[in-house]
């Protein structure tokens, strides 16, 4: 059976029709008309041969007919083949298994195969690539199933590499019953057309794509996410045709405010800045400009704002290369610039710090130790200027250090790479530049600075002058040594003295006690130090008394002196005279109490013996004086009775001298009584003025040169010892007479104030120098007269007077101008009670002292 | 008839001088240097006793007290004498009619004696 498929074209149709006419072949027309043609069944197997079986069943005529038919058919087929092959299209027939039944010549040529080589082979066997094999198998199945043609387009390359693009149609070929019995195929080379199409399509796509991309770019650049500012400036007017939000924000102007306006009109403040010239340059030369950290000043809301930019001005060229505009990209680097400025400022600060560091810092470089750095303090420290140091080798800058071996130290640091630490290192420096070296001390570090290879390149010197400290320390050490020496001295003194020396802290504890004191206590140092009085064996009243005294000293800061008895460990009860003195700290506060105590038992005894002796002596003296006086007076009377006036006069003189002697004896006796605290006052109320008048009259009787003038109060009653106060007035008057040898008047005044009476005796004599005025009331004080004026007396009168007045609770004083005279005054209380109180308190005092 | 004055004083010089003084004034003066004899003084009482406070171990004040306590002698005026003015108070406490401090002026003595005789 032969099935043909006429792909297209009339020629094919014609031949097919011829075949159909003969009713021997089923033909599937290109138009899809199915025609069932009658005819003999001819099994055509490629070589168009009938089988033996077929031939045997045929009659002769049939055989002949067939032969003829066959010849005709062969011829027709040949012509058909020629016809089908004389086209540029590929024509072919496939069986239902996809094997080629027919292949026209162009296709065979494309394949490079003969018809015989191709018939009976499928696509795979003919070398089609797998995807085409698979595709065509599917398409064949589709044709069989749907009984409809299938169209397709494929690129194909033959084994020789000739490639093309093909469109093809698989058409079903039906048998008599209408079943698909074969597939006819026609393939047309559409490579050229495809290429043209493709080209056109590509161009269009590219055009679209370009436009699209531009749009997208610009849109993207308008996005707020773009960190880069973009501006397109067109034409010589720098018309702003594009501006993205980054820029408009930086400009402080909206897009609408600037778009399609000339740059320098939209942002006038830029006019005077560098940008105009830069843009001009780019526009004319076409050479892009890269600006780095260029400041731009904008006026935003009336305020100047400086923004730093990194930017590029790129020329925009038209196709022919003409520059039509400038594409500006800019990044705001203000923050970086500020950061950088900060870093610079930081570095400056570091440098400043280095320069003004409280320590001297220097860096020396290389073997020659050339000064690279030397801060102010270092310069000051070594006494050189920056010019003398920087860039110069150390040995040249500071030659004075060479003999001191300082540079050798740095050499060592340089060679060994080991840091040198100088502690209180002595260096002699010529700071004033006068050649005189000054001893200074430094703490310094010489630290090697190594390079990548580990070689020492520089030495970092860090020095602090400690001269003051070293000298202070040395002084302190010296003073400590001196202090130590002094301490030993004091210890030697305090240890050897028989006096008791000790120190209390503010809590009444002994912090020091000398040998003598420890001996007195019969205690060791350890048993005594840190202990209170009670703890070292003082009786409670005694400890209490001293503690109160310490309290008083802390408050008043005044020393206290007293006498007290204490049982000595070996000598028994002894009398001690003690002085507590405040030890003040630098703030003037009491920090301790120092005490010295002297054993005055012997002294007391001696004093007592002396006073006793005085008392006895003066008493014993009185007895013969009394009899002498009595004899003299008897004698005087006898002579008087005899009328011997001369003897009477002489005896009166003897009596006067005896009276002086009596006064001296009385004074001695008084003093001894006062010393013993036994001066007794015979107190009663008396008329003070009467007493004064009486004494004045008595004195006046014995003197001739002076007149005693009185200015007295009247009827002033005083409670006191009339005789003793009279004794005082007498003393003052006799002194006045005695010390005003050239005067002729003495004034006595009395006055009364509330509760007191005051008496003053004024003379116009020698007067008393100021510095001696306080001393005249001391015991045994005597006025030193000139050589021709030696004033006799024991120096007891004013002492006794002051004691008497003191005992009365009064005061005595002197006002005097040397060469003009003196006024001695005393005041005593007039009232009994006041005096009594005074007596009481004196009694208490007396008790304490005994 | 001259008044009789007894002086009890252990110092011979004073005693002698006083005796001279008072005899010059016309008194009949007796003297003793021993205070103990005064305790036995019963008959021949003086018109005035001048008594030294200190007489060789004897206290004139005790003698004065004793005499002033005795019926026979208590009316006899006694002047206590002392070299110390301080004893005047105790002298008077002992019952003495007056006190004479030694040394004294003759006028003073005469006036005082005259006062009690």
């Amino acid at each position: 059976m032969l099935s043909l498929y006429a792909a297209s074209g009339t020629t094919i149709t014609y031949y097919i029709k011829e075949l159909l006419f003969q009713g021997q072949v089923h033909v599937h027309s290109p138009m899809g008309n199915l025609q069932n043609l009658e005819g003999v069944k001819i099994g055509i197997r490629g070589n168009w041969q009938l089988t033996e079986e077929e031939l045997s069943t045929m009659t002769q005529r049939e055989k002949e007919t067939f032969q003829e038919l066959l010849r005709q058919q062969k011829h027709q087929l040949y012509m058909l083949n020629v016809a089908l092959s004389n086209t540029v299209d590929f024509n072919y027939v496939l069986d239902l298994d996809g094997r080629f039944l027919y292949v026209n010549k162009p296709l065979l040529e494309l394949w490079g195969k003969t018809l015989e080589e191709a018939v009976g082979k499928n696509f795979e066997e003919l070398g089609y690539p797998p995807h085409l094999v698979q595709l065509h198998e599917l398409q064949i199945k589709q044709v069989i199933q749907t009984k409809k043609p299938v169209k397709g387009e494929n690129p194909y390359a033959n084994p020789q590499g000739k490639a093309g693009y093909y469109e093809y149609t698989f058409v079903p070929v039906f048998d008599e019953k209408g079943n698909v019995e074969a597939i006819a195929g026609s393939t047309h080379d559409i490579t050229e057309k495809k290429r043209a199409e493709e080209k056109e399509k590509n161009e269009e796509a590219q055009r679209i794509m370009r436009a699209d991309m531009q749009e997208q770019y610009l849109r993207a650049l308008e996005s707020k996410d773009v960190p880069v500012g973009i501006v397109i400036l067109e034409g010589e007017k720098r018309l702003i045709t594009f501006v993205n939000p980054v820029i408009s924000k930086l400009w402080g102007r909206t897009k609408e405010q600037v778009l399609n306006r000339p740059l320098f009109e939209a942002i006038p403040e830029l006019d005077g800045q560098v940008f105009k010239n830069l843009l001009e340059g780019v526009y004319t030369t076409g050479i892009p400009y890269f600006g780095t950290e260029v400041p731009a000043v904008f006026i935003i809301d009336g305020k100047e704002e400086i923004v730093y930019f990194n930017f590029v001005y790129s020329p925009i060229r038209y196709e022919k290369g003409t520059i039509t505009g400038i594409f500006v990209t800019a990044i705001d680097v203000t923050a970086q610039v500020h950061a950088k400025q900060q870093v610079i400022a930081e570095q400056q600060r570091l440098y400043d710090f280095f320069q003004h560091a409280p320590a001297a810092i220097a860096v020396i470089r290389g073997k020659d130790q050339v000064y690279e750095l030397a801060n102010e303090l270092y310069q000051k420290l070594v006494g050189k200027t920056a010019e003398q140091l920087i860039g110069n080798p150390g040995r040249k800058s500071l030659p004075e250090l060479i003999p001191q071996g300082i540079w050798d130290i740095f050499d060592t640091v340089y060679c060994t790479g080991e840091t040198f630490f100088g502690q209180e290192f002595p260096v002699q420096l010529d700071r004033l530049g006068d050649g005189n070296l000054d001893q200074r001390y430094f703490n310094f570090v010489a630290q090697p600075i190594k390079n990548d290879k580990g070689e020492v390149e520089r030495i970092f010197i860090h020095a602090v002058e400690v001269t003051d400290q070293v000298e202070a320390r040395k002084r302190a050490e010296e003073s400590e040594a001196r202090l130590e020496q002094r301490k030993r001295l004091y210890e030697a003194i305090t240890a050897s003295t028989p006096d008791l020396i000790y120190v209390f802290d503010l809590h009444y504890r002994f912090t020091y006690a000398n040998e003598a004191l420890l001996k007195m206590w019969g205690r060791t140092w350890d048993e005594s130090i840190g202990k209170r009085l009670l703890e070292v064996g003082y009786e409670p009243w005694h400890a209490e008394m001293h503690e109160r005294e310490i309290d008083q000293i802390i408050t008043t800061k005044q020393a206290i002196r007293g006498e007290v008895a204490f049982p000595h460990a070996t000598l028994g009860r002894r009398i001690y005279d003690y002085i507590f003195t405040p030890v003040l700290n630098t703030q003037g506060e009491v920090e301790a109490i120092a005490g010295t105590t002297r054993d005055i038992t012997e002294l007391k005894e001696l004093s007592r013996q002396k006073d006793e002796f005085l008392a006895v002596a003066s008493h014993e003296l009185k007895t013969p004086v009394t009899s002498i006086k009595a004899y003299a007076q008897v004698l005087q009377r006898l002579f008087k009775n005899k009328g011997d006036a001369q003897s009477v006069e002489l005896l009166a003189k003897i009596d006067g001298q005896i009276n002086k002697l009596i006064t001296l004896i009385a004074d001695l006796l008084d003093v001894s009584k006062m010393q013993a605290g036994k001066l007794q006052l015979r107190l009663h109320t008396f008329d003070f003025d009467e007493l004064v008048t009486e004494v004045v009259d008595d004195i006046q009787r014995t003197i001739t040169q002076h007149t005693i003038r009185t200015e007295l109060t009247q009827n002033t009653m005083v409670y006191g010892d009339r005789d003793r106060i009279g004794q005082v007035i007498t003393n003052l008057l006799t002194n006045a007479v005695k010390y005003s040898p050239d005067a002729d008047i003495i004034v006595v005044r009395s006055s009364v104030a509330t509760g007191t009476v005051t008496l003053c005796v004024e003379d116009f004599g020698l007067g008393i120098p100021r510095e001696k005025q306080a001393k005249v009331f001391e015991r045994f004080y005597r006025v030193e007269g000139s050589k021709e004026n030696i004033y006799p007396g024991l120096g007891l009168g004013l002492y006794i007077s002051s004691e008497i007045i003191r005992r009365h609770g009064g005061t005595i004083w002197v006002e005097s101008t040397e060469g003009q005279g003196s006024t001695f005054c005393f005041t005593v209380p007039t009232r009994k009670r006041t005096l009594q109180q005074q007596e009481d308190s004196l009694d208490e005092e007396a008790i304490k002292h005994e | 008839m001259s008044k009789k004055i007894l002086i009890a004083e252990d110092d011979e010089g004073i005693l002698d001088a006083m005796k001279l003084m008072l005899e010059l004034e016309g008194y009949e003066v007796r003297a003793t240097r021993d205070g103990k004899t005064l305790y036995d003084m019963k008959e021949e009482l003086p018109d005035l006793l001048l008594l030294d406070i200190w007489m060789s171990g004897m206290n004139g004040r005790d003698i004065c007290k004793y005499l002033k306590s005795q019926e026979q002698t208590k009316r006899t005026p006694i002047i206590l004498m002392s070299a110390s003015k301080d004893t005047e108070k105790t002298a008077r406490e002992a019952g003495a009619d007056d006190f004479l401090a030694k040394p004294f002026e003759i006028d003073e003595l005469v006036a005082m004696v005259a006062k009690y005789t």
Side-chain angles (χ1 to χ4, degrees):
Chain A
M1 188 179 64
L2 178 67
S3 297
L4 289 174
Y5 169 63
S8 64
T10 50
T11 314
I12 301 167
T13 312
Y14 169 78
Y15 285 110
I16 290 172
K17 278 181 179 169
E18 286 296 303
L19 284 168
L20 289 171
F21 173 76
Q22 289 173 26
Q24 290 178 331
V25 193
H26 297 285
V27 176
H28 180 213
S29 84
M31 278 67 82
N33 297 330
L34 212 67
Q35 290 174 5
N36 198 4
L37 303 173
E38 287 192 25
V40 289
K41 284 184 182 174
I42 303 165
I44 301 172
R45 304 284 185 263
N47 53 4
W48 298 80
Q49 295 290 320
L50 294 171
T51 61
E52 286 299 321
E53 194 189 334
E54 282 169 336
L55 286 170
S56 64
T57 58
M58 286 173 106
T59 63
Q60 192 56 39
R61 196 189 164 258
E62 277 176 337
K63 278 179 187 174
E64 281 170 5
T65 307
F66 179 73
Q67 288 296 327
E68 183 51 34
L69 185 63
L70 196 63
R71 192 189 52 80
Q72 285 176 6
Q73 273 184 341
K74 271 189 177 173
H75 181 68
Q76 281 175 355
L77 281 169
Y78 168 72
M79 285 194 299
L80 180 65
N81 187 30
V82 170
L84 290 171
S85 296
N86 276 339
T87 164
V88 292
D89 291 342
F90 307 130
N91 292 307
Y92 43 87
V93 179
L94 295 157
D95 67 11
L96 296 179
D97 295 324
R99 290 172 200 284
F100 282 89
L101 296 173
Y102 171 73
V103 180
N104 76 343
K105 199 176 166 191
L107 185 55
L108 288 171
E109 278 171 4
L110 178 70
W111 286 345
K113 292 195 183 332
T114 63
L115 185 67
E116 287 73 29
E117 282 170 344
V119 170
K121 306 266 174 59
N122 60 20
F123 286 101
E124 190 179 3
E125 287 159 340
L126 285 162
Y128 275 67
H131 72 277
L132 284 180
V133 171
Q134 203 182 353
L135 175 67
H136 291 328
E137 280 175 1
L138 284 167
Q139 286 168 332
I140 290 162
K141 279 183 186 164
Q142 190 184 339
V143 171
I144 296 165
Q145 281 172 9
T146 63
K147 298 176 182 177
K148 284 179 182 163
V150 168
K151 284 191 179 183
E153 276 183 16
N154 281 131
Y156 173 77
N158 74 351
Q160 285 73 39
K162 185 179 181 284
Y165 208 92
Y166 301 93
E167 73 174 4
Y168 58 89
T169 314
F170 289 169
V171 181
V173 179
F174 299 101
D175 62 8
E176 313 75 21
K177 294 168 190 165
N179 291 323
V180 177
E181 63 171 359
I183 291 128
S186 171
T187 297
H188 183 67
D189 184 347
I190 55 163
T191 309
E192 284 306 313
K193 186 183 138 204
K194 265 287 186 214
R195 231 170 241 161
E197 263 178 29
E198 200 67 26
K199 199 183 167 192
E200 196 184 336
K201 219 158 78 186
N202 274 353
E203 279 171 1
E204 177 64 13
Q206 276 177 4
R207 197 180 55 77
I208 291 165
M209 207 164 72
R210 263 201 297 275
D212 200 34
M213 274 170 66
Q214 246 180 19
E215 182 70 17
Q216 276 181 19
Y217 284 154
L218 290 177
R219 229 190 359 258
L221 294 175
E222 280 197 296
S223 154
K224 280 174 186 160
D225 301 330
V226 175
V228 182
I230 293 169
V231 185
I232 295 171
L233 302 171
E234 280 185 11
E236 290 185 352
K237 286 189 165 179
R238 321 285 175 241
L239 209 63
I240 301 163
T241 57
F242 177 85
V243 58
N244 77 340
V246 176
I247 281 288
S248 66
K249 191 180 169 197
L250 283 174
W251 285 351
R253 287 155 173 94
T254 64
K255 189 176 159 185
E256 289 70 30
Q257 284 177 310
V258 298
L259 209 60
N260 296 318
R261 293 180 67 191
L263 175 66
F264 296 107
E265 193 188 300
I267 309 160
E269 62 262 34
L270 286 179
D271 202 349
Q273 301 181 39
V274 294
F275 308 103
K276 197 170 190 179
N277 285 338
L278 294 173
L279 287 165
E280 183 74 35
V282 174
Y283 196 78
T284 47
T285 62
I287 300 165
Y289 180 83
F290 297 88
T292 308
E293 294 170 5
V294 179
V297 180
F298 295 105
I299 294 167
I300 298 164
D301 299 333
K303 266 195 325 191
E304 265 194 15
E305 270 187 30
I306 299 176
V307 180
Y308 291 86
F309 288 108
N310 282 356
F311 63 89
V312 183
Y313 290 163
S314 316
I316 301 171
R317 286 165 197 277
Y318 194 58
E319 285 174 11
K320 290 168 194 165
T322 321
I323 295 162
T324 58
I326 295 169
F327 187 80
V328 182
T329 51
I331 300 172
D332 174 9
V333 291
T334 309
Q336 291 94 308
V337 169
H338 284 166
K340 206 187 266 180
Q341 282 171 349
Q342 267 184 346
V343 169
I344 290 166
E346 199 69 39
Q347 282 173 343
Q348 184 64 41
R349 269 202 293 280
L350 205 66
Y351 181 75
D352 287 349
F353 169 75
F354 159 77
Q355 276 299 342
H356 307 297
I361 297 170
V363 175
I364 50 175
R365 189 192 64 240
K367 223 176 168 177
D368 293 335
Q369 297 156 341
V370 174
Y371 277 102
E372 266 194 347
L373 284 173
N375 72 352
E376 284 172 11
L377 201 60
Y378 188 89
Q379 294 164 20
K380 219 169 122 189
L381 208 101
V382 297
K384 306 286 172 187
T385 63
E387 290 68 39
Q388 286 173 305
L389 295 170
I390 307 300
N392 289 322
R395 283 184 163 85
K396 199 182 144 208
S397 298
L398 287 160
E400 59 265 37
L401 300 188
I402 298 171
Q404 300 177 47
I406 307 294
W407 296 110
D408 299 338
I409 292 170
F410 295 139
D411 282 343
T412 310
V413 174
Y414 190 81
C415 294
T416 61
E418 281 170 18
T419 304
F420 180 85
F421 297 94
Q423 193 74 29
E424 295 186 357
F425 201 89
V427 181
Q428 292 176 336
L429 289 165
D430 177 16
R431 278 194 175 157
L432 301 172
D434 57 3
N436 290 326
L437 295 181
D438 194 13
Q439 180 79 53
R440 299 270 139 186
Y441 295 89
F442 296 95
N443 283 352
F444 79 95
V445 181
Q447 189 176 10
I449 304 172
K450 294 175 183 173
N451 63 12
D452 301 341
K453 293 170 201 160
E455 297 158 345
V456 179
E457 269 190 347
R458 293 175 170 84
I459 298 171
F460 176 82
I461 304 166
H462 176 276
V464 177
E465 182 165 357
V466 293
T467 308
D468 290 347
Q469 292 93 309
V470 170
E471 285 178 351
R473 185 169 50 70
K474 283 189 172 170
R475 277 198 301 274
E477 281 167 3
E478 280 168 22
S479 78
E480 205 174 306
R482 274 202 301 274
L483 211 67
E484 191 61 34
Q485 193 191 3
R486 242 158 74 181
K487 198 178 155 199
R488 281 198 302 275
L489 191 70
Y490 287 146
E491 275 172 4
I493 292 167
T494 61
S496 59
T497 181
D499 290 345
L500 315 177
I501 298 171
Y502 43 90
V503 178
F504 293 107
D505 65 14
L506 303 184
H507 305 289
Y508 325 114
R509 289 185 296 244
F510 283 98
T511 57
Y512 177 80
N514 75 340
E515 279 299 312
L517 181 56
L518 295 172
K519 209 166 150 189
M520 183 194 86
W521 287 336
R523 300 172 78 93
T524 65
W525 171 273
D526 291 337
E527 285 167 348
S528 315
I529 296 306
K531 301 260 164 56
R532 290 172 64 163
L533 288 151
L534 211 55
E535 296 170 284
V536 291
Y538 285 75
E539 284 178 48
W541 67 267
H542 194 168
E544 179 67 19
M545 178 182 82
H546 285 327
E547 291 185 359
R548 294 294 74 79
E549 284 168 345
I550 288 167
D551 290 343
Q552 191 187 328
I553 290 165
I554 294 168
T555 314
T556 63
K557 296 172 189 172
Q558 299 291 319
I560 282 180
R561 187 168 187 167
E563 269 180 36
V564 71
F566 187 82
H568 189 284
T570 52
L571 302 175
R573 190 186 132 90
R574 310 289 288 177
I575 310 291
Y576 293 95
D577 173 23
Y578 63 91
I579 302 172
F580 287 176
T581 311
V583 180
L584 303 179
N585 64 16
T586 48
Q587 279 82 48
E589 292 152 353
V590 178
E591 63 175 10
I593 291 92
T596 52
T597 294
R598 177 163 292 182
D599 183 343
I600 54 163
T601 314
E602 261 98 55
L603 204 65
K604 272 265 167 192
E605 180 58 21
L606 282 173
S607 177
R608 192 192 61 76
Q609 284 176 6
K610 178 202 74 181
D611 289 335
E612 207 166 278
F613 168 78
L614 269 180
V616 171
S618 52
H619 190 264
E620 290 304 312
L621 279 172
K622 265 188 179 178
T623 304
V625 167
T626 303
S627 55
I628 290 168
K629 188 177 171 65
Y631 281 127
Q633 288 186 338
V634 169
L635 202 56
Q636 199 180 3
R637 191 152 289 205
L638 288 175
F639 281 119
K640 195 180 177 183
N641 293 344
K642 284 180 183 171
D644 184 347
Q646 194 183 9
S647 295
V648 170
E649 194 182 329
L650 283 171
L651 282 164
K653 282 180 182 168
I654 291 173
D655 190 53
Q657 292 305 315
I658 291 168
N659 283 343
K660 279 188 185 173
L661 182 61
I662 290 165
T663 307
L664 288 174
I665 293 165
D667 283 354
L668 273 177
L669 200 59
D670 285 345
V671 168
S672 67
K673 281 177 190 162
M674 283 168 185
Q675 287 304 109
K678 288 175 182 166
L679 181 72
Q680 287 177 12
L681 297 182
R682 285 169 294 150
L683 300 170
H684 46 87
T685 303
F686 63 91
D687 185 324
F688 186 74
D689 300 296
E690 192 186 271
L691 172 66
V692 176
T693 308
E694 200 177 300
V695 174
V696 167
D697 288 348
D698 280 351
I699 300 290
Q700 187 67 72
R701 263 203 296 277
T702 60
I703 56 172
T704 51
Q705 187 188 318
H706 299 83
T707 305
I708 303 170
R709 208 167 71 202
T710 53
E711 297 168 16
L712 305 177
T713 55
Q714 290 200 330
N715 303 320
T716 304
M717 299 306 285
V718 169
Y719 183 78
D721 186 328
R722 189 175 191 275
D723 287 350
R724 288 296 183 187
I725 289 174
Q727 186 183 346
V728 173
I729 298 166
T730 302
N731 180 248
L732 295 184
L733 277 170
T734 49
N735 279 347
V737 170
K738 189 171 168 188
Y739 295 108
S740 61
D742 302 325
D744 52 10
I745 193 165
I746 290 164
V747 182
V748 177
R749 295 185 192 88
S750 71
S751 61
V752 180
T754 316
T756 60
V757 63
T758 302
L759 183 94
C760 290
V761 175
E762 184 179 9
D763 70 61
F764 303 93
L766 305 170
I768 306 160
R770 180 168 292 275
E771 68 274 12
K772 289 181 176 169
Q773 289 176 10
K775 290 195 167 193
V776 296
F777 299 102
E778 288 179 6
R779 182 157 64 138
F780 305 122
Y781 176 81
R782 294 180 66 218
V783 172
E784 290 168 31
S786 54
K787 278 179 184 171
E788 57 266 36
N789 288 311
I790 295 168
Y791 297 97
L794 294 174
L796 294 172
L798 284 173
Y799 167 73
I800 293 163
S801 295
S802 73
E803 280 296 306
I804 291 166
I805 297 301
R806 192 180 71 80
R807 289 291 307 276
H808 277 85
T811 50
I812 187 165
W813 70 93
V814 61
E815 289 162 13
S816 178
T817 307
E818 197 177 5
Q820 291 186 17
S822 307
T823 305
F824 280 83
C825 300
F826 68 85
T827 294
V828 285
T830 51
R831 278 174 290 187
K832 188 178 178 178
R833 202 158 52 167
T834 317
L835 192 63
Q836 196 56 55
Q837 283 171 344
Q838 199 63 41
E839 277 293 294
D840 290 346
S841 75
L842 281 165
D843 287 345
E844 282 166 27
E845 204 178 312
I847 288 163
K848 185 170 134 189
H849 284 262
E850 267 169 319
Chain B
M1 200 181 109
S2 57
K3 299 281 182 182
K4 286 180 224 154
I5 295 170
L6 178 60
I7 304 171
E9 164 66 58
D10 66 346
D11 182 79
E12 204 171 342
I14 293 172
L15 188 66
D16 184 41
M18 284 179 84
K19 196 169 174 245
L20 278 172
M21 274 181 183
L22 292 172
E23 280 171 354
L24 268 178
E25 292 297 317
Y27 294 103
E28 190 188 321
V29 181
R30 280 192 294 131
T32 176
R33 291 175 59 198
D34 183 2
K36 275 183 265 179
T37 59
L38 296 177
Y39 287 104
D40 308 321
M41 190 171 68
K42 279 171 186 133
E43 290 157 30
E44 289 182 68
L45 289 171
D47 296 309
L48 174 67
L49 174 60
L50 287 167
L51 178 57
D52 187 21
I53 277 186
W54 285 106
M55 283 187 300
S56 54
M58 288 203 59
N59 191 331
R61 282 166 294 205
D62 293 341
I63 297 167
C64 178
K65 262 187 213 166
Y66 174 79
L67 292 177
K68 285 293 177 183
S69 66
Q70 298 301 306
E71 188 58 35
Q72 283 170 297
T73 54
K74 68 180 179 188
R75 277 174 299 275
T76 304
I78 300 174
I79 296 173
L80 271 173
M81 298 185 297
S82 172
S84 169
K85 280 183 182 175
D86 296 342
T87 52
E88 184 180 341
K89 199 181 172 190
T90 51
R92 289 185 191 279
E93 282 165 4
D97 297 279
D98 216 331
F99 178 81
L100 182 67
K102 293 187 279 190
F104 46 83
E105 298 293 332
I106 189 166
D107 294 343
E108 199 183 352
L109 173 70
V110 171
M112 197 178 283
V113 171
K115 187 179 168 186
Y116 294 98
T117 53

